[in-house]
Amino acid sequence: MLVDFEKLPDSSRVWIYQANRSFSEEELQEIKTATDVFIEQWTAHGQDLKAGYEIRYNRFLILALDQQVAAASGCSIDASVHFIQELEKKYNVSLLDKMNVSYKQGAYVAYKPLLEFKKMAKAKSVSPKTIVFNHLVTNKGEYLEHWEVPASESWHARFM
């Protein structure tokens, strides 16, 4: 059951998928349509899942699930991963690679392999004040409060 992301409780579980590039406006419209269809059909043990999503900065797809209604099962999580893999294939984009870092560079979002980000931190090309995207958040409340944070306040701090 598709619901407005804003209306989901802060306890809702989130999954954040970062793209290695920005999506075009046309791609975003197609992705929104596909995500609407996926969530409308998303179930766990035959029970509809109350879920929503948002797309941020034209490159992050955030799925949120109200687990108070019904929790995700192994099969439903597999279904969501399969959906994301389909998006990867269709748009020739990486969404599941967790070994990359996204951070703000002025008004833009930069995307670098983790090893390159480490080198940049060592060279002081990024600093503890650099805004990074902390994908370790697990629920909507954490996402809203601790997703975009200075590197010094996330797991990225170990490289500074």
Side-chain angles (χ1 to χ4, degrees):
M1 164 184 11
L2 177 63
V3 297
D4 186 348
F5 184 88
E6 302 290 321
K7 294 181 179 170
L8 289 167
D10 284 354
S11 60
S12 297
R13 183 171 176 184
V14 295
W15 293 269
I16 301 170
Y17 301 100
Q18 66 180 348
N20 59 328
R21 64 170 177 82
S22 294
F23 292 109
S24 70
E25 285 303 316
E26 182 180 326
E27 289 173 328
L28 286 169
Q29 289 309 312
E30 292 174 5
I31 290 167
K32 287 175 184 176
T33 299
T35 306
D36 287 351
V37 169
F38 168 73
I39 291 177
E40 282 294 343
Q41 299 172 357
W42 199 19
T43 63
H45 303 294
Q47 187 173 9
D48 285 345
L49 295 174
K50 183 178 177 185
Y53 71 96
E54 69 176 7
I55 299 174
R56 299 279 303 271
Y57 300 108
N58 296 338
R59 70 186 314 144
F60 299 99
L61 174 59
I62 298 94
L63 296 180
L65 170 65
D66 182 353
Q67 296 202 114
Q68 295 170 348
V69 174
S73 65
C75 291
S76 62
I77 292 170
D78 287 349
S80 68
V81 171
H82 181 71
F83 169 70
I84 297 299
Q85 289 171 327
E86 288 175 3
L87 293 178
E88 285 183 318
K89 287 178 194 164
K90 182 171 183 177
Y91 298 103
N92 192 28
V93 66
S94 173
L95 291 163
L96 291 167
D97 189 346
K98 303 291 186 198
M99 294 305 293
N100 295 303
V101 176
S102 292
Y103 60 96
K104 283 190 173 176
Q105 197 166 39
Y108 300 98
V109 174
Y111 177 90
K112 299 287 181 194
L114 182 59
L115 290 175
E116 191 172 329
F117 185 82
K118 285 181 185 179
K119 288 177 187 173
M120 291 174 68
K122 201 174 227 180
K124 305 219 184 297
S125 299
V126 292
S127 75
K129 293 181 180 180
T130 299
I131 301 298
V132 295
F133 297 91
N134 176 15
H135 302 308
L136 297 181
V137 297
T138 60
N139 63 48
K140 183 182 166 195
E142 289 177 0
Y143 162 72
L144 294 173
E145 295 294 321
H146 303 292
W147 180 55
E148 287 185 58
V149 295
S152 63
E153 295 177 23
S154 81
W155 63 268
H156 303 83
R158 70 182 87 167
F159 306 127
M160 301 294 148

